[in-house]
Amino acid sequence: MSKREDSTGGSNSMWGGRFAEGPAAIMREINASIPFDKALWRQDIAASKAHVAMLGAQGIVSAEDSALISGGLDQVAAEYEQQGVPEDWDLEDIHMTTESRLAELIGPAAGRLHTARSRNDQVATDFRLWVRDAMDQADAGLKALQIALVTRAGEHAASIMPGFTHLQTAQPVTLGHHLMAYYEMTARDRSRFADARARADQSPLGAAALAGTGFPIDRQATARALGFAEPTRNSLDSVSDRDFALDYLMAAAQTALHLSRLAEEFIIWASQPFGFVTLPDSLSTGSSIMPQKKNPDAAELVRGHAGRIVGSLTSLMITMKGLPLAYSKDMQDDKPPVFEAAGLLTLCLAAMTGMVAGATFRTDRMRAAAELGYATATDLADWLVRQAGIPFREAHHITGAAVKLAESKGLAIDRLPLSELRAIDERIDERVYDALSAEASVAARASYGGTAPDQVRARVAEARLALGLE
């Protein structure tokens, strides 16, 4: 009789003598997590090696068995690396799959590996290790995007473009200033991942099923071996906690929202009415019927993937919302949303980094657009306040009249004759024209963090220093 037949019709050796018959086929299928948790195999091997080394050092298992098990785990890891992890649903998960193969390789000594631990603390440890690696990967991806943003911002510190509110032309800004806004967003994203990683830097290994263990284990040793700062402090919380996964997803979701906003801007800028940017061919596609089309598909997919990442966060939050302590089988569903979000986030970061680095910015189109919509109207109001001592509310009213006049004549404000401006308010003189160009407008906004080219260059220099580029 095959192992599969035995597990569905006879005793189940992995579950032991408690069950007279194996699970029904539907239970077998709903219970198995190996199709997705096989992604944890590296972490599972690492945690098992740390655990058995500690058991040997503590004299809980013999030095000979500890060495034999460790060597067997290395052999299992080599097989997984070369051949992949087999999916035997009778073995349920990566932990049983590894232990079963270890027993085939080294015999009964493999049974000593699970001394003083449970699958509850085992999976909590493996998953923390995986999520910690995912946090590091996200940080690396964000840093690469920041480097691209800072590099392009430095190139375009003085390139003028329209700044928008409500997607209406508001005031001239520089492209460098606009790109550096996303640098600030990604800096906050990196800080969220760093904070999440610090909170996740505790090892659950040794908490066992929920109450700890009676064996004289050394949890500090296993924590150090796995690169954790310390062990967790409460065994119940250790196996129940998935805050580290939620923290990752929250940081990933916020990052995805920022990437989606950047993607949306590239989509708008690449459209013919704007024409501010030409996207890299490698991140665009054509149309099956319209040969003139160059579609921003990568940007659109980044925008779409943000919804899936936010959905992953929502999924795990709902899973965890009402679970009593300690472990519940619902928690088996913790990994798929994290795995999906991590894969999508990695793709989105790479796509937007390539887009920022490879885009061709049409600064001539941007400059022309900055002159539309009376973008320097605020500069006229500011000039009236500074040079004529007029209260801002009155200056605002005067400027509104000037805009109305310019609009009626189809002219930019700085093209209105001085006589017509003075007809609106006689306190206006020829010096006003020095303030009404787009260049003068951006140069005037030299407050800390403003769009003036000198301010942009200063922020770029700070960012380059923070990124280790200087």
Side-chain angles (χ1 to χ4, degrees):
M1 182 180 294
S2 71
K3 179 169 60 176
R4 187 174 303 279
E5 290 168 339
D6 179 65
S7 67
T8 56
S11 64
N12 185 311
S13 59
M14 285 298 176
W15 283 14
R18 170 64 180 84
F19 295 88
E21 294 182 354
I26 192 168
M27 181 60 195
R28 172 179 163 274
E29 186 164 345
I30 198 172
N31 195 50
S33 60
I34 188 63
F36 55 83
D37 71 14
K38 64 183 180 181
L40 299 173
W41 74 261
R42 289 180 176 84
Q43 291 76 22
D44 196 61
I45 295 288
S48 291
K49 290 191 68 174
H51 182 66
V52 77
M54 179 275 296
L55 294 178
Q58 293 295 105
I60 299 171
V61 303
S62 69
E64 294 76 15
D65 281 346
S66 177
L68 181 62
I69 292 169
S70 184
L73 288 168
D74 287 336
Q75 189 172 343
V76 174
E79 291 179 359
Y80 289 170
E81 191 72 61
Q82 295 171 8
Q83 304 164 23
V85 179
E87 288 190 23
D88 186 339
W89 287 20
D90 294 333
L91 297 175
E92 297 181 15
D93 56 32
I94 185 60
H95 321 299
M96 290 299 193
T97 298
T98 298
E99 188 175 333
S100 175
R101 180 56 181 152
L102 182 66
E104 292 174 353
L105 291 172
I106 69 171
R112 300 189 186 280
L113 172 60
H114 210 54
T115 306
R117 76 174 184 186
S118 162
R119 276 195 292 180
N120 292 355
D121 64 333
Q122 189 178 359
V123 69
T125 303
D126 294 354
F127 197 23
R128 274 194 193 232
L129 289 169
W130 194 96
V131 170
R132 192 176 65 176
D133 290 343
M135 291 173 178
D136 292 342
Q137 186 177 28
D139 183 74
L142 280 163
K143 183 177 180 180
L145 176 56
Q146 286 184 316
I147 291 171
L149 288 166
V150 167
T151 300
R152 301 312 302 273
E155 295 170 7
H156 293 285
S159 298
I160 292 172
M161 66 174 292
F164 300 97
T165 62
H166 308 279
L167 207 56
Q168 304 293 312
T169 300
Q171 293 176 319
V173 297
T174 66
L175 175 57
H177 190 57
H178 197 113
L179 293 174
M180 286 302 289
Y182 284 95
Y183 171 83
E184 295 298 330
M185 295 183 204
T186 53
R188 293 193 295 274
D189 293 330
R190 291 186 71 187
S191 74
R192 274 183 279 271
F193 279 113
D195 290 345
R197 198 187 192 288
R199 282 190 295 275
D201 204 17
Q202 294 180 324
S203 172
L205 192 57
L210 74 163
T213 178
F215 290 95
I217 61 173
D218 185 348
R219 295 191 63 209
Q220 283 74 19
T222 52
R224 286 193 301 271
L226 294 171
F228 287 107
E230 60 183 349
T232 52
R233 297 182 180 89
N234 182 284
S235 60
L236 276 169
D237 180 57
S238 299
V239 299
S240 306
D241 171 40
R242 292 298 183 271
D243 287 2
F244 62 92
L246 288 167
D247 278 351
Y248 171 81
L249 288 173
M250 288 176 188
Q254 183 63 72
T255 299
L257 296 182
H258 289 154
L259 295 177
S260 181
R261 296 183 73 177
L262 179 58
E264 172 69 3
E265 300 224 80
F266 272 96
I267 292 165
I268 293 172
W269 291 355
S271 66
Q272 282 81 0
F274 278 77
F276 287 1
V277 67
T278 300
L279 299 181
D281 289 347
S282 59
L283 293 169
S284 306
T285 65
S287 167
S288 63
I289 191 172
M290 295 169 284
Q292 82 280 10
K293 296 289 293 299
K294 183 177 181 180
N295 299 325
D297 282 12
E300 290 173 349
L301 286 167
V302 168
R303 188 176 60 185
H305 288 352
R308 293 172 63 186
I309 293 171
V310 171
S312 294
L313 168 61
T314 303
S315 172
L316 185 53
M317 291 177 73
I318 298 301
T319 295
M320 297 301 299
K321 71 176 179 60
L323 298 185
L325 299 180
Y327 181 83
S328 297
K329 197 67 172 180
D330 313 46
M331 292 165 70
Q332 182 168 289
D333 285 339
D334 57 359
K335 287 168 280 299
V338 176
F339 292 166
E340 179 183 23
L344 291 173
L345 184 62
T346 298
L347 279 173
C348 291
L349 284 167
M352 293 315 301
T353 299
M355 203 168 297
V356 171
T360 300
F361 293 106
R362 295 285 308 280
T363 53
D364 56 333
R365 297 271 301 186
M366 292 182 172
R367 176 66 178 75
E371 295 181 342
L372 302 176
Y374 309 102
T376 60
T378 306
D379 297 279
L380 173 57
D382 288 347
W383 184 89
L384 290 166
V385 171
R386 287 195 305 266
Q387 301 299 327
I390 299 173
F392 183 79
R393 286 302 172 197
E394 183 182 353
H396 187 281
H397 178 77
I398 295 168
T399 300
V403 169
K404 184 177 181 180
L405 176 63
E407 193 172 36
S408 70
K409 292 178 171 292
L411 297 174
I413 295 179
D414 63 348
R415 297 291 189 269
L416 286 173
L418 180 60
S419 59
E420 295 189 10
L421 287 172
R422 288 180 61 82
I424 295 171
D425 193 285
E426 63 181 13
R427 290 168 290 188
I428 298 175
D429 61 43
E430 65 277 356
R431 293 175 300 167
V432 74
Y433 293 107
D434 294 333
L436 293 183
S437 70
E439 286 79 7
S441 177
V442 297
R445 281 159 175 79
S447 56
Y448 183 86
T451 194
D454 286 347
Q455 281 295 316
V456 175
R457 293 186 185 100
R459 302 293 79 74
V460 167
E462 292 170 355
R464 289 181 64 85
L465 189 63
L467 292 168
L469 300 177
E470 299 294 347

